[in-house]
Amino acid sequence: MTSMRMVFRLGRLPAGTYRVMQMRSFYHQSASNIESEFVTPNARQFPASFVVPTAMPDMSQRTAEEAEHRKHILAVLHKMNLPIMQYAFAYGSGVFSQAPLSRRDGGAPPMIDMVVAVKDPVHWHAANMLRNKSHYPWWTRWFGLWAIRAAQKMGAGLWYIPYVKVNNEIVKYGVISIEDLCKDLLYWNTLYVGGRMHKPIACLFDATNNRVPNAQQANLTSALRASLLLLPASFSEMELYRMLASLSYMGDFRMKVPGGENRNKVENIVKHQLPWFRIMYSTLLTRLRFVHVNHNEESFTMHQDKRPATLALVAINLPQTLRLRLVQHFQRQPHLHPVFHKCKDMDPEELMPATSANIRKLRDNPETRKKLFEADDCEEADEWPFSTRFWLAVVQQPSFEDALREQIVQIVSEPTRIQSLKGLYTAGIGRSLRYLWSKMSKYSQSRKRAYESGDKDRGMPVSYTHLTLPTTPYV
């Protein structure tokens, strides 16, 4: 009873208002101190409507509508009678603005997507099978705990159960261990749950003593860094949010096959949830002081410092899994730079860290920077750690952005394929086919709307329309 009172207490907070938790020391260091030396002129002068997005027109009305809908979702979660959980959040079109619009237009409400994080998924499933027997196919109950344990660990460590009917709502919920959730947020092991949390979510329950919210702040900061590395020197606010929303779809095969996903999905997410994106990322952008925001009528344009030393500072603070993959990628190409040739047989872990203070000094000494960039065997090179020289060489490669995108694709692709196949076992063949049919219907509707509007690009996969942005030289 106490836990449910906590749930409804959280539900009274304005929906869509992102609650920024107190950051731990690692976040303050990575998002503020490390990059504070690279301040572009007037970078601290952000438009007031960007820094305080709740002042946007109609924001009060939209927040009130989302608050009412969140209370309804909390009631649905209570009605499901699930075992004890440590964290729960809802996401997608069934949570934010699209849901009330579909109801208002008389259409069928979209499925409500949830993820619940628990201490021990195997014991949790055993308890849930007693409470909600109909949520599981018969074979998952018949094979026992050893099969549950094996299936839970496959892919991204999520066990999804779709098409659970609760009153007049249809719910899909996934179960993940709290350890796997935090590791994905911090290290991007699979980017399956972490990628979903790059986009607006509604926190329904938190009994982790701020462990997940703090990991989520690191996840959002990592997403912002990766997006900025992939974007040109100047870009619009919408381009930034499209890139952020696209990261978890880069290697998702469903975005490329007919009937897999709505090909306008990223555009729809950003268009309908723009205020919530701004609430999530505006504070983080003001901490990354090498980014400058300008206000042009009703939109914002942004400019970032793309000098090699700044790019290196951003790159060395990417999530561990992505950073390690980048190291291994350039070790396999020793012909690109003398530094890569010297480190091709080194342990990748030795090249992971890089001292931020050393990189900052390069900005103040252009002669030394020029010598390091042009000749690694110069006298000055011996004074700099090898990892620092390695990352400075990495960010200067013309193929750096393509390599970064490729590594994200590889992180996402395999867990996505396994999760799709795992659904046949965890959800059942009938529910899986029903889910596939709904995806095919959305795909066909998006193609039809794109054809009627004459916009050919909207019918293209996300990986082609939103991720191939023009490149500009360093400034």
Side-chain angles (χ1 to χ4, degrees):
M1 188 65 184
T2 303
S3 62
M4 291 312 300
R5 280 201 299 269
M6 184 182 298
V7 170
F8 281 92
R9 189 179 301 120
L10 289 174
R12 287 195 288 269
L13 291 172
T17 302
Y18 192 83
R19 297 189 298 278
V20 180
M21 304 297 182
Q22 182 66 36
M23 312 302 172
R24 296 195 185 276
S25 59
F26 77 89
Y27 172 67
H28 279 303
Q29 181 185 8
S30 61
S32 180
N33 296 340
I34 288 179
E35 288 136 355
S36 62
E37 296 294 329
F38 299 91
V39 182
T40 55
N42 301 321
R44 298 191 180 200
Q45 298 178 6
F46 287 86
S49 56
F50 184 81
V51 178
V52 189
T54 51
M56 294 172 60
D58 302 326
M59 195 63 190
S60 298
Q61 180 181 354
R62 298 183 67 165
T63 301
E65 291 177 357
E66 299 296 345
E68 288 299 318
H69 189 51
R70 182 179 295 200
K71 289 181 181 179
H72 175 69
I73 295 175
L74 287 166
V76 170
L77 178 63
H78 177 62
K79 188 71 175 179
M80 290 169 67
N81 190 31
L82 299 177
I84 295 175
M85 64 192 77
Q86 276 62 53
Y87 188 83
F89 70 90
Y91 64 95
S93 60
V95 180
F96 292 96
S97 58
Q98 294 96 314
L101 289 174
S102 63
R103 288 190 177 87
R104 194 179 302 130
D105 295 339
M111 184 187 299
I112 297 175
D113 296 300
M114 298 182 187
V115 171
V116 298
V118 301
K119 285 186 178 180
D120 188 335
V122 177
H123 291 169
W124 193 93
H125 284 302
N128 198 34
M129 286 178 179
L130 296 176
R131 295 190 182 196
N132 300 290
K133 183 179 178 180
S134 62
H135 293 189
Y136 296 86
W138 64 267
W139 53 81
T140 60
R141 302 191 302 272
W142 187 81
F143 282 119
L145 296 181
W146 70 270
I148 294 175
R149 182 178 291 105
Q152 180 72 44
K153 291 181 179 180
M154 293 175 62
L158 264 168
W159 182 301
Y160 265 114
I161 302 174
Y163 293 104
V164 176
K165 190 171 183 180
V166 184
N167 296 336
N168 295 324
E169 298 286 356
I170 302 297
V171 179
K172 179 184 76 174
Y173 69 95
V175 182
I176 189 172
S177 73
I178 198 73
E179 293 295 329
D180 288 343
L181 172 61
C182 290
K183 286 179 180 179
D184 199 34
L185 293 175
L186 292 172
Y187 308 126
W188 285 18
N189 292 338
T190 66
L191 207 54
Y192 198 86
V193 182
R196 280 155 176 76
M197 296 178 75
H198 291 164
K199 297 168 275 291
I201 64 170
C203 177
L204 304 176
F205 182 78
D206 181 19
T208 64
N209 194 25
N210 284 343
R211 181 185 177 188
V212 173
N214 285 328
Q216 166 66 345
Q217 290 299 315
N219 179 44
L220 295 179
T221 307
S222 297
L224 197 54
R225 290 196 182 104
S227 297
L228 290 172
L229 288 172
L230 292 170
L231 286 166
S234 298
F235 52 93
S236 68
E237 182 187 20
M238 291 294 291
E239 287 176 329
L240 173 63
Y241 297 152
R242 288 191 193 107
M243 182 62 73
L244 286 163
S246 300
L247 290 176
S248 61
Y249 296 122
M250 284 187 178
D252 193 338
F253 74 96
R254 297 172 299 175
M255 303 301 295
K256 300 180 181 180
V257 298
E261 283 285 3
N262 181 353
R263 297 195 174 189
N264 301 320
K265 187 168 186 175
V266 171
E267 186 69 25
N268 291 339
I269 290 173
V270 175
K271 180 180 178 181
H272 292 288
Q273 300 176 23
L274 175 61
W276 317 131
F277 272 98
R278 191 175 294 171
I279 289 172
M280 290 173 67
Y281 289 102
S282 60
T283 301
L284 298 178
L285 272 170
T286 60
R287 293 179 182 274
L288 301 178
R289 302 184 186 182
F290 58 91
V291 179
H292 181 53
V293 180
N294 295 316
H295 189 200
N296 297 327
E297 296 180 356
E298 298 181 356
S299 63
F300 295 98
T301 58
M302 303 181 186
H303 180 82
Q304 62 171 324
D305 184 353
K306 295 284 282 187
R307 284 172 289 187
T310 305
L311 294 175
L313 271 178
V314 178
I316 65 174
N317 286 286
L318 289 170
Q320 177 180 316
T321 301
L322 180 56
R323 201 162 69 245
L324 180 60
R325 284 179 170 272
L326 282 172
V327 170
Q328 294 171 337
H329 172 81
F330 285 102
Q331 278 186 308
R332 292 192 296 267
Q333 303 189 53
H335 62 281
L336 293 179
H337 196 279
V339 172
F340 302 158
H341 181 75
K342 291 181 179 181
C343 70
K344 63 180 180 179
D345 297 323
M346 291 179 61
D347 184 353
E349 295 289 344
E350 298 180 20
L351 298 171
M352 291 280 283
T355 306
S356 302
N358 288 333
I359 298 179
R360 288 196 193 103
K361 292 177 182 178
L362 289 177
R363 186 171 182 266
D364 300 327
N365 194 335
E367 291 298 326
T368 302
R369 183 173 67 243
K370 182 179 179 180
K371 290 180 181 180
L372 282 178
F373 293 165
E374 294 179 352
D376 188 62
D377 57 353
C378 63
E379 182 179 350
E380 286 81 356
D382 295 334
E383 302 176 6
W384 296 89
F386 204 86
S387 58
T388 299
R389 288 144 56 192
F390 175 83
W391 283 104
L392 286 169
V394 165
V395 297
Q396 290 186 99
Q397 298 305 308
S399 62
F400 171 65
E401 291 182 11
D402 291 335
L404 178 58
R405 186 180 287 107
E406 178 187 347
Q407 301 314 310
I408 296 175
V409 166
Q410 292 181 7
I411 290 173
V412 172
S413 59
E414 184 176 355
T416 302
R417 287 194 293 267
I418 295 176
Q419 284 290 147
S420 297
L421 293 174
K422 190 168 85 170
L424 294 171
Y425 178 83
T426 60
I429 298 175
R431 285 176 175 172
S432 298
L433 291 176
R434 183 181 175 185
Y435 188 74
L436 177 61
W437 177 256
S438 70
K439 291 294 184 182
M440 292 181 67
S441 299
K442 290 181 180 179
Y443 172 86
S444 135
Q445 292 171 6
S446 69
R447 289 297 298 270
K448 183 179 179 181
R449 285 193 296 268
Y451 178 79
E452 291 174 350
S453 65
D455 188 353
K456 297 181 180 180
D457 288 340
R458 292 186 64 190
M460 294 292 289
V462 169
S463 57
Y464 298 127
T465 57
H466 297 309
L467 302 184
T468 53
L469 295 169
T471 58
T472 58
Y474 295 132
V475 296

